[in-house]
């Protein structure tokens, strides 16, 4: 809290907040356990503001973190004694024929709102649309359509960024490809994304959503492999919930969807060869917007109960297909509902690795990889571990999974050493480290996780 004030500041189009409330807000995130107090918070009025403030910080070696919506859970968007740039003031969106030019502070809900008016949608949306474009592009951006289109980073055609040297650069696979590939999935290390050109696809008017229950993980993953393999659904995810009526154990659900135009409905024969528990399935039709934004009412409810504001020490892993059944079964056997908190969520779904073409979001080395996420909420209650205990449990599960060839999807809360990060990035580490030296020579960007400090 006690860092000296910033002096000799350049003129700005936006605002620089140095009051304690603004700084305290920027020292918090969705995890509510990591807290790093910045010296100032920039609400940029223009990209030029970002350029001049990054240069100012570069010259004085002051750390800088871009913050989208602050929904990472481990201080990823924080900067102790430094500058946090709240990207939300730059959220313009322009739709072209088959793509949208989006300022990085826009949320995916903003993007979808604009593109739907043109009958289009980003091909891959995250489950929750209240995340910023810059925030998900700096981690990867996975969702139920990833099995068809890859991660959100795989749908980006061009970026405008401000590097750690304070220089505005446009990059793409054809132009400054090294920078483009160091930024997508690059955890904010080399540059701040200010604008992204993202591909759009035609938006379906209607969606038929299936919730198919399974008694065991093995039954769920067998059918997930089958439906991802033949591509019969437009959307595939899966989750686990505590078994109903206080019974021990977990109940698994394959969540799938088929898009349609409302006139020719999908054929439910799609379900014919699947081995879910017949009679317990749920099928409903809804508009595409209601489907894409279906998490929003649950979020409003959790805000109302207050659980949304409790600590969220999340664990997100990408598991190799070869380990998924054994590892997840052994975890779920021991996991109690209290271990993830009353509003905790477990996700499990597959993604074909070949579609994840962007180098930096790291993935295991098998044809199919599974996202396995324990989205914990440390709401005080009987048997619920506190946030520190949840984080310690995350670390131990991470180590077990890593030894089986898994990697983190690095949005959650796992303490990592520099050596862990080096191992995480594997053969991409030298390339990533070289890009950091080239584009953030003073080493000021995104210090929160100590990756390349
Ligand atoms: C309720 C909820 C649901 C989620 N669902 C999904 C999901 O379905 N799929 C999925 O993939 N992820 C999901 N996530 C995780 C989410 O994608 C990441 O936590 C993401 O980083 C959050 O975006 P944000 O805008 O809040 O980023 P922040 O938390 O603000 O920032 C995260 C990181 O990105 C960097 N960053 C932010 N903006 C920029 C920028 N413009 N340029 C460069 N770096 C930047 C920050 O410095 C930081 O390192 C979910 C998270 C929550 C809380």
């Amino acid at each position: 809290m006690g860092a000296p004030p910033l002096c000799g500041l350049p003129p700005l189009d936006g605002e620089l907040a140095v009051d304690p409330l603004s700084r305290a807000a920027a020292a918090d995130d969705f995890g509510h356990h990591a807290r790093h107090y910045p010296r100032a918070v920039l609400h940029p009025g223009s990209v030029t503001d970002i350029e001049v403030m990054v240069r100012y910080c570069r010259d004085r070696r002051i750390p800088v973190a871009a913050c989208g919506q602050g929904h990472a859970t481990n201080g990823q968007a924080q900067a102790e004694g430094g500058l946090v740039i709240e990207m939300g003031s730059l959220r313009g969106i322009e739709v072209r024929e088959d793509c949208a030019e989006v300022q990085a502070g826009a949320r995916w809900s903003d993007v979808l709102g604009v593109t739907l008016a043109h009958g289009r949608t980003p091909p891959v949306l995250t489950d929750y649309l209240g995340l910023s474009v810059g925030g998900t592009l700096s981690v990867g951006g996975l969702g139920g359509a990833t099995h068809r289109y890859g991660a959100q980073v795989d749908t980006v055609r061009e970026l405008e960024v401000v590097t750690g040297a304070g220089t505005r650069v446009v990059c793409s696979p054809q132009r400054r490809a090294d920078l483009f590939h160091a930024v997508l999935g690059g955890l904010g290390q080399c540059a701040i994304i200010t604008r992204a050109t993202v591909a759009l696809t035609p938006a379906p008017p209607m969606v038929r959503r299936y919730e198919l229950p399974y008694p065991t993980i093995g039954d769920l993953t067998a059918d997930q492999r089958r439906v991802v393999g033949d591509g019969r659904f437009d959307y595939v995810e899966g989750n686990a919930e505590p078994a109903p009526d206080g019974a021990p154990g977990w109940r698994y659900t394959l969540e799938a969807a088929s898009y349609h135009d409302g006139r020719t409905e999908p054929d439910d024969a799609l379900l014919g060869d699947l081995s879910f528990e017949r009679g317990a399935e749920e099928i409903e039709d809804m508009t595409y917007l209601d489907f894409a934004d279906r998490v929003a009412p649950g979020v409003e409810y959790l805000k109302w109960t207050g659980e949304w504001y409790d600590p969220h020490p999340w664990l997100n892993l990408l598991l190799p297909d070869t380990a998924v059944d054994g590892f997840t079964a052994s975890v779920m056997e021991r996991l109690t509902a209290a271990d993830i908190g009353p509003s905790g969520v477990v996700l499990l779904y597959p993604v074909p690795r070949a579609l994840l073409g962007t180098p930096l979001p790291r993935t295991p080395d098998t044809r199919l990889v599974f996202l396995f996420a324990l989205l914990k909420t440390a709401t005080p209650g009987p048997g619920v571990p506190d946030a520190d205990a949840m984080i310690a449990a995350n670390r131990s599960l991470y180590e077990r999974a890593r030894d089986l060839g898994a990697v983190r999807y690095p949005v959650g809360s796992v303490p990592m050493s520099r050596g862990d990060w080096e191992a995480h990035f594997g053969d991409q580490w030298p390339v990533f480290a070289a890009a950091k030296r080239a584009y953030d020579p003073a080493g000021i960007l995104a210090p929160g996780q100590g990756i390349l400090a």
Side-chain angles (χ1 to χ4, degrees):
M1 290 286 269
L6 303 173
C7 301
L9 288 160
L12 296 169
D13 299 321
E15 283 174 21
L16 192 75
V18 292
D19 61 286
L21 272 184
S22 302
R23 292 164 56 212
D28 195 10
D29 58 26
F30 190 66
H32 304 302
H33 52 84
R35 286 210 162 74
H36 305 291
Y37 284 85
R39 250 187 271 192
V41 181
L42 174 67
H43 299 274
S46 62
V47 176
T48 307
D49 279 358
I50 299 179
E51 291 179 274
V52 295
M53 280 310 296
V54 170
R55 268 184 243 139
Y56 174 94
C57 291
R58 174 204 64 191
D59 292 346
R60 294 160 181 81
R61 307 232 161 208
I62 294 170
V64 177
C67 181
Q69 288 292 314
H71 280 68
T73 73
N74 201 30
Q76 285 92 332
Q78 299 176 17
E80 179 71 39
L83 177 72
V84 168
I85 304 181
E86 289 285 356
M87 299 299 295
S89 51
L90 298 180
R91 58 203 307 167
I93 300 161
E94 266 184 54
V95 174
R96 311 224 177 279
E97 186 63 9
D98 62 349
C99 63
E101 287 199 13
V102 182
Q103 283 193 303
R107 293 168 306 182
W108 288 101
S109 53
D110 304 325
V111 178
L112 187 62
V114 172
T115 63
L116 278 183
H118 297 257
R120 308 224 149 226
T121 177
V124 183
L125 290 167
T126 46
D127 298 344
Y128 174 51
L129 300 181
L131 309 167
S132 79
V133 169
T136 69
L137 295 185
S138 68
V139 292
L142 302 174
T146 293
H147 80 282
R148 183 155 287 176
Y149 297 104
Q152 288 180 324
V153 286
D154 299 301
T155 70
V156 175
R157 297 187 179 162
E158 185 180 274
L159 293 173
E160 177 194 79
V161 304
V162 172
T163 67
T167 313
R168 191 188 313 202
V169 182
V170 172
C171 55
S172 70
Q174 294 77 34
R175 184 175 171 191
R176 308 286 289 267
D178 62 330
L179 179 58
F180 185 73
H181 289 132
V183 172
L184 292 174
L187 307 177
Q189 291 299 306
C190 296
I192 295 170
I193 304 168
T194 52
R195 178 175 47 77
T197 305
V198 294
L200 298 177
T201 51
M206 295 294 293
V207 174
R208 176 159 295 182
R209 176 170 178 245
Y210 302 92
E211 285 194 293
L212 310 176
Y214 291 82
T216 71
I217 286 198
D219 295 321
L220 169 69
T221 56
D223 272 358
Q224 285 178 321
R225 287 185 192 94
R226 186 190 299 259
V227 300
V228 163
D230 61 26
R232 74 181 76 175
F233 292 118
D234 294 296
Y235 179 102
V236 176
E237 288 202 6
N239 57 66
E241 286 179 346
D245 306 324
W250 298 85
R251 183 177 192 255
Y252 301 93
T253 301
L254 195 164
E255 187 191 15
S258 292
Y259 300 160
H260 64 100
D261 60 13
R263 292 189 298 274
T264 320
E265 295 187 1
D267 185 352
D268 291 338
L270 280 176
L271 309 183
D273 58 346
L274 302 182
S275 63
F276 59 92
E277 294 171 316
R278 303 268 153 191
E281 70 273 27
E282 289 180 22
I283 303 177
E284 60 178 328
D285 285 301
M286 54 180 76
T287 65
Y288 179 69
L289 178 59
D290 284 347
F291 174 71
D293 205 19
R294 69 196 176 288
V295 172
V299 169
E300 288 313 309
Y301 175 74
L302 293 176
K303 286 182 178 171
W304 179 74
T305 64
E307 286 161 84
W308 186 255
Y309 307 105
D310 286 329
H312 290 94
W314 283 9
L315 174 67
N316 303 64
L317 298 168
L318 289 167
L319 298 167
D321 195 3
T322 42
V324 67
D325 289 355
F327 179 77
T328 54
S330 81
V331 172
M332 297 308 292
E333 230 172 70
R334 291 176 187 80
L335 195 77
T336 66
D339 287 337
I340 57 169
S343 54
V345 174
V346 180
L347 295 178
L348 179 65
Y349 62 86
V351 178
R353 185 168 182 258
L355 293 179
L356 304 174
T358 304
L360 276 190
R362 302 309 291 152
T363 56
D365 201 8
T366 47
R367 197 185 59 78
L368 212 56
V369 302
F370 281 74
L371 176 75
F372 178 53
L374 300 180
L375 308 181
K376 305 176 180 183
T377 307
T379 300
V384 180
D386 65 15
D388 288 344
M390 286 186 176
I391 292 169
N394 288 351
R395 175 71 205 188
S396 119
L397 280 186
Y398 160 68
E399 286 176 12
R400 273 178 57 202
R402 181 197 57 195
D403 294 346
L404 296 167
V407 296
R408 274 184 69 202
Y409 182 53
V411 300
S413 305
V414 179
M416 300 271 281
S417 67
R418 190 184 153 107
D420 291 328
W421 284 114
E422 196 168 335
H424 169 86
F425 284 103
D427 60 3
Q428 285 297 315
W429 177 259
V431 183
F432 192 32
K436 177 79 173 172
R437 284 192 297 276
Y439 294 110
D440 180 21
I444 56 171
L445 290 183
Q449 299 193 91
I451 300 171
L452 280 152

